Amino acid sequence: MLIPTLGSCNIRPAPVVPANGSERILITEAMIARSGGQTAWEVLRREVPQMSFGENRNGQATGMERRGRSSIILNDNALLFIDGVKIQEIATLQQLPASTLLSIEVLTGSEGTIHYGTDAVGGVIVVRTKKGSSEN
């Protein structure tokens, strides 16, 4: 599936890696560079069509959730972890330059809830930065 973008460049979405019957999307450093996104938020918008991205009138990130059915009981917003630290504010992704990213992993479906609990029903975004991975 090709997604047209600005100019004559075509970008393919990140491949879905099956993991125990759910979806796990892994965006590598090379894919991040190829996406042309300037921030982590832009990379995710271009590489993960399985998620729905919310922005306010000023273009600031307000939320991100899995496409499809939603829960009336549980919070459907995706959980965000950057270098193992849970981040409450999704707008942080707009401040994180794509050049600092090592990889982004998106867990949807049961894979997210198995590892992160029922709060992860809307998915989990695990961002690894170059600096954070070198310190581990």
Side-chain angles (χ1 to χ4, degrees), residues 99-111:
S99 61
T100 65
L101 303 176
L102 185 62
S103 68
I104 302 174
E105 186 174 13
V106 180
L107 304 174
T108 62
S110 62
E111 190 72 17

Side-chain angles (χ1 to χ4, degrees), residues 80-87 92-93 96 125 127-129:
L80 172 62
F81 291 87
I82 299 176
D83 290 332
V85 177
K86 185 176 180 180
I87 306 297
T92 304
L93 291 171
L96 192 59
I125 311 297
V127 178
R128 291 178 187 87
T129 63

Side-chain angles (χ1 to χ4, degrees), residues 13-33:
V16 175
V17 180
N20 302 330
S22 71
E23 294 180 344
R24 180 178 142 254
I25 301 157
L26 180 62
I27 305 170
T28 63
E29 187 175 3
M31 295 167 74
I32 291 167

Side-chain angles (χ1 to χ4, degrees), residues 34-113:
R34 193 173 56 237
S35 77
Q38 298 298 308
T39 64
W41 180 257
E42 290 177 8
V43 171
L44 283 167
R45 287 188 61 123
R46 294 174 185 193
E47 294 290 326
V48 186
Q50 296 87 340
M51 301 293 281
S52 175
F53 300 87
E55 295 178 348
N56 65 18
R57 291 190 295 187
N58 300 324
Q60 295 173 327
T62 58
M64 180 173 22
E65 57 188 36
R66 189 169 46 112
R67 292 188 190 272
R69 281 194 250 160
S70 62
S71 171
I72 59 172
I73 299 171
L74 300 172
N75 181 3
D76 286 333
N77 285 323
L79 295 179
L80 172 62
F81 291 87
I82 299 176
D83 290 332
V85 177
K86 185 176 180 180
I87 306 297
Q88 297 296 327
E89 188 59 46
I90 200 78
T92 304
L93 291 171
Q94 289 181 308
Q95 300 165 2
L96 192 59
S99 61
T100 65
L101 303 176
L102 185 62
S103 68
I104 302 174
E105 186 174 13
V106 180
L107 304 174
T108 62
S110 62
E111 190 72 17
T113 56

